[in-house]
Amino acid sequence: MTCNCVDAPVPPLFGVQTLFAAQHTSESCGANGLPLTPNSITILGYAQKLRTLNHPNLVSHLDFIRKQHGRIILVSQYFNRSLWTESKNYSLLIPLEKVLSWTHRILSALSYLNDNGLVHRFLTPQYILLDDEDNVKLFNYGIYYMTNSGKNITFPIGKLKYTAPEVLVLDRASNKSGPKTDSWSLGIIILELLLGAQLWPTLKLSQIIRKILSLTHCTDVVMRLAREMGRLTMYQSLPSELKDFLSKCICMDVTKRMCPKELYDHKIFSLYEYSKILTNKCYSCKHPLRQMKLNQVYYLWKLAGGDVEWALKKKGLLRNESSILLIPRLIILEGTLYGNARNQSCLLDLQIIELSLDLLVNRLQHLKITDYDPLIDQIKDCDDTIDKLPLVIREKDTEYQFHRIVLFDRLLSSYPFKLDKLLIEAKKDIPPYFRGEIWACLLNVCSDTENTYLSIDKETAGVTDRQIEVDIPRCHQYNDLLSSSVAHKKLKRVLKAWLVSHPEYVYWQGLDSLCAPFVYLNFCKEHVAYACLTAFVKKYLNDVFLRDNSAVIREYLIKLFHLIAFHDPQLANHLDDKGFIPDLFAIPWFLTMFSHVFPMHKIFHLWDKLLLGDSSYPLFVGLSILSQLRSTLLNSGFNECILLFSDLPEVDIEKCVLESSKFNDVTPRSITFRKYELRTETREHDPCLIYEVLQKEFSPRISVYDLQELKRSSQKFLVVDAREQGCYIEKCIPGSLNIPIKEEDFEDENFDLAPSPELSALVNNRGSVLIVVDNLHQINKVRKFCRFLVKKEYPKVCSLHGGIEALQTFNILGPAILF
């Protein structure tokens, strides 16, 4: 058996090809009035399905890259052995049992493709690869599918002599190739292998076409081909079952030709012991990188400096032309361009470039063998110096991401048993490679989401379909993947599924932006995107999408203003003086959880932290954004503030994430308590208030539960008791400060607190949480006192919900101790 060794060589595991998409003849618009989507973007959308295919006899597709002028770069698993090299250009005869073994595995792969709605259409000996253990791996099986049956390209797909005759005759725009097309190609390949000769090796393309078309008048096509190969006698000596198999493949009548799934069960495979053929086992040492998933190795290879474009340029497949050569010679009034036709030879290059893994191996050479396969409990924490680096740098560090990928690969495979450990690690940072899966875990998406999603009617027309179709083409269209027609269909289906399964809600503009990150991260798993959207809305946007959501939105906005007053009284006073309330700028923030405000890459970092917080965490994100704009806002009038938010300046998202976390840590939970948030229960003394009451108050309220928590914690706080001294002496909160005050005092605009020891104590405690307390019936006096303190720019001012009476049952009050 093989062993792992960090010093073992790593052969190239990936191959690169390049092709060009067809260009639209003019810049005409579609039926929706928007410019036509470039074919290269359409191809990119279709190609994502190929990354989900998993079969032992198919190579893995790893990446699809869209470049300028419609170029598409394909990165796939690759082996430098194939049926073509194994047969030495058909100069050697291969044992029948081995040919049958290969054939059966090829048919298994083709059947799998057919079950997933794909046909190969590019089956040639060069694209039937063999790995180190002689296992068949089909290559290039996705070009026909990803180009929408060849409609989005201008070059033909397939090698002519292996192409079925009907492909040459039928119109490719209206007739798609079916599974039986691959049966013909396979039959020609097997015939060449069995007879040890090539078919028409010296003929030109035009001659090959005539030869193929002439087969329509032939009664025995296989015998005719064997004769033209000069191997008729050898063909006649083949077993009758094998001849029958070939005749079922190479059959001019498509109705009589067998498809791969039928050929897989042909009796020829039960007559020979092909399955017992020993494959070539490799007993040499292997580098542990080869035991990792190919996608993970490719991701790390790119982080280590791997550049697909550079590899293509090095081999001459990617050439830069002078700009003047790209200028059209003629443009007519309709917009059609003439004179800048692309070189036809560059539309598809069949050359495959191997990608060397030396960069990655050198970058990880100092790692031990145990680092590749550690136990979860034995994975050591990363160096503190790396943890302190900015997130964008950590995400680009090869070694750091290697350890994070290894760790989360173990944690996700043991979910939900290691959920606690996953949460701890996710708080540090979330590796981009696993972001979609980690988000699903954080949202507790682990049930049978696929069957639930499939059972929802997503096809029946609804009243919101038209608005959805208008909004989706404007949703994150700077992103190549989300701008594809495939993404548009997926977004629409997920949105419709959510609306159908939640009849109490309606479609609000912005819901498409909210859905986009989940569709992007789970592009080929719509059911997971739907489940994540459902859980996300339930947690953070409970009842926001009601037909009348005014109460929910207004509560969100007034809570944001209370937070501003709590943490930044100077800014709160300024915004209040200018009449610039959150209603004027923050509605899109909370309606879309900032997904309509920031580009996708910033949303990822923001939601990484958001998903770890409770339902009120978005309020702290909004507060952190305002803190970055603070200096500009303080120097702006109403009109300037409006202009500022109409074109929001660049926001440092990492700083925003850090500040929002700090605000969340020092803010008592009850300050952000919302009546409409999702929760299991409401306790008696929670500040569950209607909007009309919240609107009258400038500062937030704190519950008696959080007061008790402050007493137990190390956070500084001071209770300011505004009752008369007699009442204060009788019963008060131990350690509180008594500043007797009357409601009438605040009617004087010039009112100020008289110098006293209590005032000095208040000033000395600036920065601590200040909790204003009075009897419940004195609520108006408490509001005015809090407003007075905020005007004096005291931070962290709040009032006790329920007044002094709320403390009666908690055994907190006691007589004052006078000195």
Side-chain angles (χ1 to χ4, degrees):
M1 58 185 296
T2 60
C3 65
N4 290 339
C5 177
V6 293
D7 295 325
V10 183
L13 301 178
F14 316 126
V16 182
Q17 283 182 298
T18 180
L19 58 87
F20 278 99
Q23 291 183 333
H24 296 300
T25 56
S26 63
E27 294 298 326
S28 57
C29 296
N32 58 3
L34 298 174
L36 292 174
T37 303
N39 285 320
S40 56
I41 289 181
T42 303
I43 291 175
L44 191 66
Y46 277 106
Q48 302 309 308
K49 180 178 180 179
L50 302 176
R51 301 176 69 174
T52 66
L53 301 179
N54 184 22
H55 190 276
N57 300 119
L58 293 176
V59 300
S60 300
H61 283 289
L62 302 170
D63 200 6
F64 303 94
I65 306 169
R66 176 179 177 262
K67 306 304 294 184
Q68 291 181 335
H69 311 302
R71 181 187 291 273
I72 299 292
I73 299 174
L74 294 77
V75 184
S76 307
Q77 182 185 19
Y78 184 69
F79 303 94
N80 55 17
R81 295 176 60 228
S82 66
L83 295 192
W84 178 257
T85 59
E86 192 71 7
S87 62
K88 304 297 182 183
N89 301 340
Y90 297 119
S91 60
L92 297 176
L93 280 177
I94 300 175
L96 175 59
E97 289 78 8
K98 199 163 192 176
V99 174
L100 290 176
S101 176
W102 288 340
T103 303
H104 205 239
R105 287 168 172 78
I106 293 170
L107 289 171
S108 175
L110 292 176
S111 300
Y112 175 79
L113 290 176
N114 299 159
D115 291 340
N116 284 274
L118 281 77
V119 295
H120 195 297
R121 258 298 299 273
F122 215 139
L123 205 58
T124 68
Q126 292 86 347
Y127 292 150
I128 302 176
L129 308 181
L130 299 171
D131 65 10
D132 297 338
E133 299 182 354
D134 250 5
N135 293 315
V136 169
K137 296 281 187 177
L138 296 191
F139 187 78
N140 247 1
Y141 56 84
I143 292 182
Y144 188 70
Y145 174 80
M146 65 191 286
T147 58
N148 193 15
S149 304
K151 294 178 182 178
N152 296 326
I153 52 177
T154 56
F155 56 85
I157 297 176
K159 193 170 183 179
L160 186 57
K161 75 172 181 177
Y162 299 106
T163 302
E166 64 269 15
V167 175
L168 305 179
V169 178
L170 300 176
D171 179 16
R172 69 171 184 170
S174 56
N175 294 276
K176 295 183 179 180
S177 296
K180 294 182 178 181
T181 305
D182 292 333
S183 298
W184 176 284
S185 302
L186 179 61
I188 300 294
I189 294 170
I190 300 306
L191 182 64
E192 289 183 331
L193 286 173
L194 292 172
L195 301 183
Q198 293 186 55
L199 178 63
W200 307 318
T202 60
L203 297 186
K204 298 179 181 179
L205 289 179
S206 57
Q207 294 173 315
I208 295 177
I209 292 175
R210 285 196 293 270
K211 285 283 188 180
I212 294 175
L213 295 179
S214 67
L215 296 176
T216 56
H217 306 291
C218 183
T219 55
D220 193 335
V221 179
V222 184
M223 184 174 292
R224 164 80 176 273
L225 294 176
R227 183 183 297 112
E228 294 196 2
M229 294 166 67
R231 297 288 196 276
L232 180 59
T233 304
M234 186 181 294
Y235 168 72
Q236 291 175 334
S237 65
L238 293 176
S240 58
E241 294 83 1
L242 186 54
K243 292 180 186 177
D244 180 71
F245 176 83
L246 291 172
S247 66
K248 293 296 192 296
C249 295
I250 309 173
C251 179
M252 293 298 299
D253 189 347
V254 181
T255 60
K256 296 180 180 179
R257 191 188 308 160
M258 284 186 174
C259 65
K261 187 170 292 188
E262 294 170 330
L263 291 170
Y264 183 81
D265 297 323
H266 194 276
K267 59 183 178 181
I268 185 64
F269 298 111
S270 62
L271 297 178
Y272 292 87
E273 296 296 330
Y274 68 90
S275 60
K276 294 183 179 180
I277 296 177
L278 292 177
T279 57
N280 297 328
K281 296 294 183 181
C282 180
Y283 294 96
S284 60
C285 291
K286 288 186 177 182
H287 195 284
L289 270 176
R290 299 186 65 180
Q291 305 304 316
M292 296 182 69
K293 297 174 183 176
L294 278 176
N295 282 316
Q296 296 176 1
V297 177
Y298 176 68
Y299 180 78
L300 293 171
W301 175 80
K302 289 191 296 182
L303 291 181
D307 190 342
V308 175
E309 288 187 67
W310 181 84
L312 291 173
K313 288 179 180 179
K314 186 177 179 181
K315 296 295 183 178
L317 293 185
L318 201 62
R319 299 183 295 271
N320 294 327
E321 296 185 4
S322 176
S323 300
I324 195 170
L325 297 178
L326 302 177
I327 299 176
R329 298 177 184 175
L330 176 65
I331 305 177
I332 64 176
L333 292 176
E334 288 77 8
T336 305
L337 310 180
Y338 294 95
N340 64 335
R342 186 181 291 123
N343 185 354
Q344 296 297 308
S345 64
C346 296
L347 295 178
L348 172 66
D349 198 310
L350 297 178
Q351 184 177 356
I352 303 168
I353 307 300
E354 295 182 353
L355 299 178
S356 172
L357 295 179
D358 291 346
L359 281 171
L360 177 59
V361 173
N362 293 335
R363 183 68 180 84
L364 302 177
Q365 62 181 350
H366 63 283
L367 296 181
K368 300 178 181 178
I369 190 69
T370 53
D371 292 331
Y372 288 85
D373 191 20
L375 297 175
I376 294 180
D377 297 330
Q378 294 179 354
I379 296 178
K380 60 182 180 181
D381 293 332
C382 294
D383 192 351
D384 292 339
T385 57
I386 297 180
D387 287 338
K388 294 178 181 178
L389 291 174
L391 179 60
V392 291
I393 295 179
R394 279 179 280 150
E395 287 188 349
K396 299 297 183 183
D397 187 278
T398 308
E399 184 178 345
Y400 180 78
Q401 287 302 312
F402 168 83
H403 289 294
R404 301 297 283 170
I405 287 174
V406 170
L407 171 61
F408 275 95
D409 192 37
R410 305 295 190 278
L411 293 175
L412 290 170
S413 63
S414 59
Y415 178 83
F417 303 106
K418 291 289 184 178
L419 178 59
D420 293 341
K421 176 72 172 176
L422 189 145
L423 291 173
I424 292 172
E425 294 298 331
K427 288 179 181 178
K428 296 178 182 178
D429 61 64
I430 292 178
Y433 180 84
F434 282 121
R435 180 170 279 124
E437 296 174 61
I438 295 172
W439 279 15
C441 293
L442 296 179
L443 290 168
N444 197 27
V445 175
C446 58
S447 58
D448 186 10
T449 58
E450 188 168 8
N451 287 334
T452 302
Y453 183 71
L454 291 175
S455 66
I456 301 173
D457 179 14
K458 301 175 284 292
E459 304 301 327
T460 303
V463 294
T464 59
D465 286 7
R466 176 58 183 162
Q467 187 60 52
I468 292 175
E469 291 172 356
V470 170
D471 289 345
I472 286 177
R474 300 180 294 187
C475 176
H476 294 289
Q477 294 304 284
Y478 56 85
N479 183 282
D480 286 344
L481 188 56
L482 289 179
S483 64
S484 66
S485 58
V486 177
H488 291 178
K489 293 175 183 177
K490 290 179 179 292
L491 274 168
K492 183 178 179 180
R493 284 197 295 267
V494 173
L495 287 172
K496 289 196 66 173
W498 186 81
L499 289 169
V500 169
S501 58
H502 297 82
E504 70 275 18
Y505 293 146
V506 298
Y507 177 80
W508 280 81
Q509 284 185 296
L511 188 58
D512 54 323
S513 297
L514 194 68
C515 180
F518 297 118
V519 171
Y520 179 85
L521 292 175
N522 304 280
F523 198 79
C524 294
K525 295 183 288 186
E526 288 182 34
H527 57 98
V528 177
Y530 159 78
C532 288
L533 175 66
T534 301
F536 187 87
V537 172
K538 185 177 181 180
K539 180 177 181 181
Y540 297 102
L541 293 159
N542 187 49
D543 288 344
V544 166
F545 295 102
L546 292 170
R547 185 174 299 277
D548 181 9
N549 64 357
S550 57
V552 185
I553 291 295
R554 287 187 303 175
E555 183 185 42
Y556 241 122
L557 298 173
I558 196 65
K559 283 293 182 178
L560 174 62
F561 195 83
H562 285 174
L563 267 184
I564 300 172
F566 185 78
H567 286 285
D568 194 343
Q570 184 182 7
L571 180 60
N573 291 330
H574 177 75
L575 296 179
D576 183 58
D577 291 340
K578 303 301 179 183
F580 192 67
I581 56 177
D583 306 53
L584 300 173
F585 61 88
I587 292 179
W589 292 4
F590 302 126
L591 195 62
T592 67
M593 287 296 113
F594 309 95
S595 60
H596 187 69
V597 181
F598 296 126
M600 191 72 70
H601 67 279
K602 290 189 175 182
I603 288 299
F604 289 155
H605 289 166
L606 185 61
W607 283 14
D608 282 350
K609 181 63 68 173
L610 180 70
L611 289 170
L612 292 165
D614 58 22
S615 59
S616 294
Y617 194 87
L619 291 167
F620 299 105
V621 176
L623 179 62
S624 63
I625 294 174
L626 291 173
S627 68
Q628 288 194 40
L629 305 175
R630 184 176 187 276
S631 59
T632 305
L633 289 171
L634 289 176
N635 293 298
S636 301
F638 181 85
N639 293 333
E640 290 82 3
C641 290
I642 290 290
L643 292 174
L644 178 67
F645 283 94
S646 63
D647 186 15
L648 194 67
E650 186 74 14
V651 174
D652 185 340
I653 205 68
E654 184 171 1
K655 184 179 179 181
C656 178
V657 168
L658 293 174
E659 289 186 346
S660 61
S661 181
K662 291 178 181 178
F663 285 136
N664 179 66
D665 293 342
V666 299
T667 304
R669 176 65 183 88
S670 55
I671 284 180
T672 58
F673 185 94
R674 291 178 294 111
K675 178 180 179 182
Y676 295 100
E677 70 178 312
L678 181 69
R679 57 187 177 276
T680 56
E681 63 176 352
T682 301
R683 295 172 294 183
E684 179 184 358
H685 297 288
D686 284 328
C688 187
L689 305 171
I690 61 175
Y691 175 75
E692 287 71 19
V693 174
L694 293 172
Q695 192 179 27
K696 295 177 181 178
E697 301 180 357
F698 202 83
S699 296
R701 295 192 188 188
I702 188 174
S703 69
V704 64
Y705 310 115
D706 279 337
L707 176 59
Q708 290 181 304
E709 186 65 30
L710 285 172
K711 290 172 68 68
R712 290 190 292 266
S713 70
S714 59
Q715 189 174 354
K716 293 182 179 181
F717 75 98
L718 177 66
V719 177
V720 180
D721 196 325
R723 294 175 299 157
E724 295 180 354
Q725 191 177 52
C727 296
Y728 174 78
I729 294 174
E730 183 180 349
K731 56 179 179 178
C732 68
I733 301 172
S736 61
L737 186 69
N738 182 222
I739 302 182
I741 203 166
K742 297 179 180 179
E743 184 177 352
E744 296 79 15
D745 295 338
F746 298 109
E747 296 177 1
D748 184 2
E749 295 181 359
N750 298 320
F751 170 76
D752 202 352
L753 295 176
S756 64
E758 289 78 10
L759 178 59
S760 299
L762 183 64
V763 173
N764 292 334
N765 279 276
R766 182 184 290 270
S768 303
V769 178
L770 301 180
I771 307 172
V772 179
V773 178
D774 206 315
N775 292 315
L776 183 60
H777 67 275
Q778 295 288 346
I779 184 64
N780 287 329
K781 183 177 75 170
V782 172
R783 290 169 180 164
K784 292 177 180 179
F785 194 9
C786 289
R787 182 70 185 100
F788 168 79
L789 293 175
V790 173
K791 282 186 177 180
K792 294 294 183 179
E793 299 186 359
Y794 280 91
K796 300 183 179 180
V797 176
C798 57
S799 60
L800 182 64
H801 178 65
I804 199 74
E805 291 83 353
L807 300 171
Q808 298 285 358
T809 59
F810 287 86
N811 197 26
I812 294 177
L813 299 178
I817 300 177
L818 300 179
F819 297 96

